[in-house]
Amino acid sequence: MSTKTLEQVEEQFETFQILNEEGEIVNESAMPDLSDEQLQELMRRMVYTRIWDQRAIALNRQGRLGFYAPMAGQEASMLGSHFALDKEDWILPGYRDIPQLFFHGLPLYQAFLWSRGHVAGSEFPEGLNVAVPQIIIGAQIVQTAGVALGLKRKKKDNICITYTGDGGASQGDFYEGMNFAGAYNAPAVFVVQNNRFAISVPVEKQSAAKTIAQKAVAAGIEGVQVDGMDVLAVYAATLDARKRALAGEGPTLIETLTYRYGAHTMAGDDPTRYRTSDEEDEWAKKDPLIRFRKFLESKKLWSEEQENEVTEKAKEEIKEAIKKADQEPKMTVTGMLNNMFEEAPVNIREQLEEFTAKESK
Ligand SMILES: Cc1ncc(C[n+]2csc(CCOP(=O)(O)OP(=O)(O)O)c2C)c(N)n1
Ligand SMILES: [Mg+2]
């Protein structure tokens, strides 16, 4: 008997796909049960997000947004997974995952305020089950295990989903969170959006593992690798994972193979220094919007008119949201401190006094 098993394990992790690059169904039996209206809604959300990304990049260049991590290319990965959720499910996002928060109920102007670092951008509406986007890579994975365990203990019919990147999957927190969630059979779904880079470090230099999905094996949980440019595959995989989690069958790790077309963030990253244009062209051919548009058109469910309608709506709503963000009173130190602490410790109380006096001048 050979003691080598890695190859056998790795062979199990094939990429799950439903729509190929031409928008043709290649996996009929996995086709999710979605109405025509739901299919169109998925497309509307992806188009909306693409326009939002273009506008946000322009607004950032005009100095009207602060921190911004471009999301074009990752729409299917973000929105397909989100579409499988219930309104009451919890989302623990990373900094790029703002569309999922928006479609979960976060007002757009607050997303813009968050981008500006304004405290009002983190004071989320009551009943919106999301955490503030995590900047510390991987930290949300451990927190997800905790939130999911809490949901289980409270006997809620809800899951906690979290998003991180390939870089996140190279962090210690990633293993700890998955391991803990597995041990406690917590209803968690871990989505790793493998966009091939952690800033400039390619995924091949981050790990010897052939897939990120296989990292689930060591935690004793399900793992699946999905074509992250195929919105139907991402949706179906997440729906499955959610069902299993609620049936008490434990957490799932979902690796979505995707790509960010833009820079890592708008703060000075230059992707031409670590990516070739050939690679970018290859990924552009896999585009999630093109593929899904072709699929919908073949079913007569999408037209130029519908595309224009959602494009105009997005532009209009973004304009209104940025106006509303501009109207927010300037951030104060006391506002920030009051948001941080329900009961301020003594040193913070001193600072509150000091800044209350300063701000009233
Ligand atoms: C603990 C920690 N280390 C380093 C950083 C700096 N940092 C910010 S983003 C990033 C790369 C993350 O890459 P990935 O998880 O693949 O997400 P992506 O940006 O590609 O969506 C790094 C290293 C950080 N924010 N937190
Ligand atoms: Mg990445």
Side-chain angles (χ1 to χ4, degrees):
M1 180 203 128
S2 164
T3 55
K4 286 173 74 175
T5 54
L6 178 61
E7 216 171 286
Q8 289 162 29
V9 171
E10 285 183 333
E11 272 171 15
Q12 309 287 317
F13 289 89
E14 283 176 21
T15 312
F16 174 59
Q17 189 186 56
I18 293 177
L19 287 184
N20 67 12
E21 290 175 26
E22 299 310 316
E24 298 155 349
I25 300 176
V26 292
N27 192 347
E28 185 74 53
S29 64
M31 189 63 194
D33 185 18
L34 288 168
S35 67
D36 289 353
E37 171 50 39
Q38 284 175 309
L39 292 169
Q40 288 165 327
E41 179 59 19
L42 263 175
M43 186 65 190
R44 275 196 291 271
R45 290 183 182 194
M46 291 205 292
V47 173
Y48 193 104
T49 302
R50 182 67 58 92
I51 299 295
W52 168 4
D53 191 61
Q54 290 163 1
R55 293 298 307 135
I57 289 171
L59 287 164
N60 178 280
R61 290 193 174 128
Q62 294 161 20
R64 298 189 69 194
L65 277 188
F67 172 87
Y68 184 69
M71 39 210 195
Q74 298 192 203
E75 293 91 347
S77 169
M78 292 171 166
L79 301 169
S81 53
H82 178 262
F83 209 66
L85 303 184
D86 177 81
K87 203 77 200 145
E88 301 287 309
D89 287 344
W90 275 84
I91 305 178
L92 270 58
Y95 45 80
R96 206 179 298 281
D97 304 306
I98 315 303
Q100 297 97 302
L101 302 191
F102 171 63
F103 288 107
H104 217 54
L106 180 70
L108 197 52
Y109 85 96
Q110 277 197 297
F112 290 155
L113 285 170
W114 176 80
S115 160
R116 289 177 179 176
H118 195 297
V119 67
S122 302
E123 291 171 344
F124 291 168
E126 200 64 37
L128 177 63
N129 293 347
V130 304
V132 175
Q134 184 57 266
I135 303 281
I136 305 165
I137 306 302
Q140 69 271 41
I141 309 296
V142 178
Q143 293 162 347
T144 294
V147 173
L149 183 56
L151 290 168
K152 183 181 169 186
R153 291 227 161 152
K154 288 185 171 168
K155 301 204 179 337
K156 299 267 187 203
D157 254 344
N158 288 104
I159 63 151
C160 180
I161 192 168
T162 187
Y163 293 89
T164 191
D166 43 291
S170 306
Q171 286 284 104
D173 280 7
F174 176 75
Y175 298 92
E176 291 174 33
M178 268 198 321
N179 186 66
F180 187 90
Y184 285 85
N185 205 20
V189 176
F190 303 98
V191 179
V192 174
Q193 301 189 77
N194 177 2
N195 62 11
R196 308 218 5 90
F197 291 91
I199 312 185
S200 57
V201 182
V203 67
E204 294 81 9
K205 286 201 176 160
Q206 297 177 45
S207 176
K210 273 217 180 86
T211 69
I212 291 173
Q214 77 197 55
K215 297 188 180 194
V217 174
I221 68 171
E222 291 293 336
V224 55
Q225 185 186 64
V226 186
D227 180 345
M229 307 302 254
D230 172 0
V231 73
L232 293 181
V234 178
Y235 169 77
T238 314
L239 195 70
D240 251 19
R242 183 178 189 278
K243 274 190 197 146
R244 276 197 303 271
L246 291 178
E249 292 170 29
T252 298
L253 166 62
I254 301 175
E255 173 188 12
T256 65
L257 298 178
T258 184
Y259 205 69
R260 72 168 146 76
Y261 297 150
H264 168 66
T265 69
M266 293 301 290
D269 174 57
D270 174 8
T272 63
R273 296 182 61 185
Y274 55 86
R275 295 197 309 215
T276 63
S277 54
D278 280 354
E279 180 184 310
E280 291 179 1
D281 293 347
E282 273 312 300
W283 279 92
K285 285 188 208 145
K286 300 180 197 290
D287 188 83
L289 275 70
I290 295 177
R291 183 184 310 202
F292 199 50
R293 191 182 289 117
K294 279 186 182 163
F295 167 74
L296 290 181
E297 281 171 353
S298 75
K299 293 173 70 98
K300 307 238 175 311
L301 289 176
W302 197 251
S303 64
E304 211 178 313
E305 207 176 36
Q306 280 162 297
E307 181 102 10
N308 292 340
E309 205 177 295
V310 56
T311 301
E312 285 317 308
K313 181 172 183 274
K315 285 184 182 165
E316 194 50 42
E317 288 184 7
I318 290 159
K319 208 161 83 187
E320 286 308 310
I322 201 83
K323 239 195 249 168
K324 194 161 176 200
D326 287 344
Q327 285 158 5
E328 190 70 29
K330 230 174 147 224
M331 190 166 107
T332 57
V333 174
T334 52
M336 181 188 71
L337 293 175
N338 282 326
N339 184 51
M340 294 275 292
F341 297 91
E342 188 163 308
E343 254 178 65
V346 64
N347 60 329
I348 299 296
R349 283 207 299 274
E350 280 167 17
Q351 290 178 37
L352 274 167
E353 252 173 56
E354 184 189 335
F355 282 97
T356 305
K358 276 189 189 161
E359 287 164 7
S360 62
K361 273 182 200 156

